[in-house]
């Protein structure tokens, strides 16, 4: 908006990424939501709201798994972008990433009732489709929404559905280095603190040690 940089420096371009080594485009194409306007604020609000609800809900205490979902979704979108972006006129994936988060949250909270601008009442799993219909009414292409829904469904299926099927197993395993960086290490159940570190051997408060008795 301040014209320090332009969208042409941010959009996904495989030729510039691999031949000119403009690696930042792999990230910046997810961060751009267009010029300031209704669509920009709409995407920012939804990104903040559902990212926060996922982090405080099904990913509570699992920061590494949360980050891995970001990386997995971003990787699938980037691959799809490279295959289909040239003829689908896709240049930025920020909206698709938001829809992916909305989709995962909605499938994990299927019984929550939603209200869209006071006009529609529906249950959470229909939210991504309502947003896609709203995008269509605004005259936007729904391809980016469909990409977000598809990637969100792949993650949800591999993480929540397939492992619970007969003969199924967990295929999405968070790398150990992410857990080492983002997760708090668990306490060793066999850890035996030194005698001076045990609570019963800690000095009491000064007020307890020097109680004053009435004369």
């Amino acid at each position: 908006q301040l014209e320090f940089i332009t969208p042409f420096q941010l959009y996904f371009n495989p030729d510039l990424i691999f031949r000119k080594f403009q690696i930042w485009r792999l990230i910046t194409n997810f961060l751009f939501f267009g010029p300031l306007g209704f669509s920009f604020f709409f995407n920012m609000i939804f990104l903040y709201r559902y990212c926060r609800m996922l982090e405080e809900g099904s990913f509570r205490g699992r920061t590494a798994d949360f980050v891995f979902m970001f990386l997995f979704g971003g990787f699938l979108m980037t691959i799809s972008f490279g295959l289909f972006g040239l003829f689908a006129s896709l240049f930025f994936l920020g909206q698709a990433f938001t829809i992916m988060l909305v989709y995962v949250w909605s499938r994990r909270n299927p019984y929550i009732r939603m209200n869209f601008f006071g006009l529609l009442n529906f249950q959470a799993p229909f939210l991504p489709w309502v947003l896609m219909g709203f995008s269509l009414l605004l005259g936007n292409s729904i391809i980016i929404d469909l990409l977000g829904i598809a990637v969100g469904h792949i993650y949800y299926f591999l993480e929540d559905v397939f492992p619970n099927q007969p003969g199924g197993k967990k295929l999405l395993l968070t790398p150990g280095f992410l857990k080492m960086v983002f997760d708090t290490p668990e306490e060793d159940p066999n850890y035996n603190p030194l005698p001076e570190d045990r609570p019963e051997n800690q000095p009491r408060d000064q007020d307890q040690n020097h109680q004053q008795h009435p004369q």
Side-chain angles (χ1 to χ4, degrees):
Q1 192 72 23
L2 299 176
E3 298 184 355
F4 292 134
I5 56 176
T6 69
F8 297 105
Q9 297 171 293
L10 306 176
Y11 78 98
F12 183 87
N13 186 317
D15 184 62
L16 294 177
I17 291 172
F18 296 109
R19 293 190 180 182
K20 301 293 185 179
F21 302 105
Q22 297 182 6
I23 306 299
W24 67 83
R25 293 177 183 270
L26 291 171
I27 300 175
T28 56
N29 81 91
F30 288 99
L31 304 179
F32 184 74
F33 293 107
L36 289 179
F38 180 78
S39 180
F40 174 85
F41 289 108
F42 190 80
N43 276 287
M44 288 298 294
I45 290 172
F46 269 73
L47 178 64
Y48 168 78
R49 175 179 173 82
Y50 290 97
C51 189
R52 177 179 177 180
M53 287 197 294
L54 279 172
E55 186 177 13
E56 295 179 351
S58 58
F59 285 100
R60 177 180 291 274
R62 298 167 52 217
T63 305
D65 295 337
F66 192 46
V67 173
F68 182 65
M69 180 187 69
F70 280 28
L71 297 176
F72 177 79
F75 175 76
L76 283 187
M77 289 181 194
T78 301
I79 295 297
S80 302
F81 214 179
L83 293 177
F84 307 114
L86 294 179
F87 59 85
S89 299
L90 299 178
F91 298 103
F92 295 98
L93 289 172
Q95 185 174 336
F97 193 80
T98 300
I99 294 295
M100 181 197 77
L101 295 176
V102 171
Y103 185 90
V104 174
W105 177 86
S106 67
R107 294 305 299 266
R108 288 183 171 179
N109 299 272
Y111 302 111
I112 293 181
R113 297 289 298 175
M114 309 292 296
N115 184 287
F116 192 72
F117 291 133
L119 301 175
L120 294 174
N121 290 294
F122 51 88
Q123 289 187 273
F126 292 100
L127 179 59
W129 305 101
V130 171
L131 294 179
M132 186 181 71
F134 183 68
S135 181
L136 184 62
L137 289 176
L138 293 178
N140 300 325
S141 172
I142 63 172
I143 295 177
I144 197 75
D145 298 83
L146 288 173
L147 177 60
I149 290 173
V151 172
H153 182 73
I154 291 172
Y155 176 83
Y156 171 75
F157 178 81
L158 294 178
E159 180 71 12
D160 295 7
V161 178
F162 184 70
N164 297 318
Q165 299 297 314
K169 62 179 180 179
K170 189 174 176 63
L171 298 178
L172 297 181
L173 301 176
T174 303
F177 76 91
L178 288 179
K179 292 187 176 184
M180 187 178 2
V181 172
F182 293 103
D183 286 351
T184 303
E186 299 180 0
E187 291 188 7
D188 185 357
N190 298 320
Y191 172 67
N192 187 21
L194 296 173
E196 58 269 23
D197 293 333
R198 295 174 184 169
E200 62 270 17
N201 293 330
Q202 295 295 320
R204 298 179 180 178
D205 294 340
Q206 186 175 5
D207 289 342
Q208 294 178 346
N209 288 337
H210 301 284
Q211 295 181 355
Q212 295 183 357
H213 300 281
Q215 297 296 329

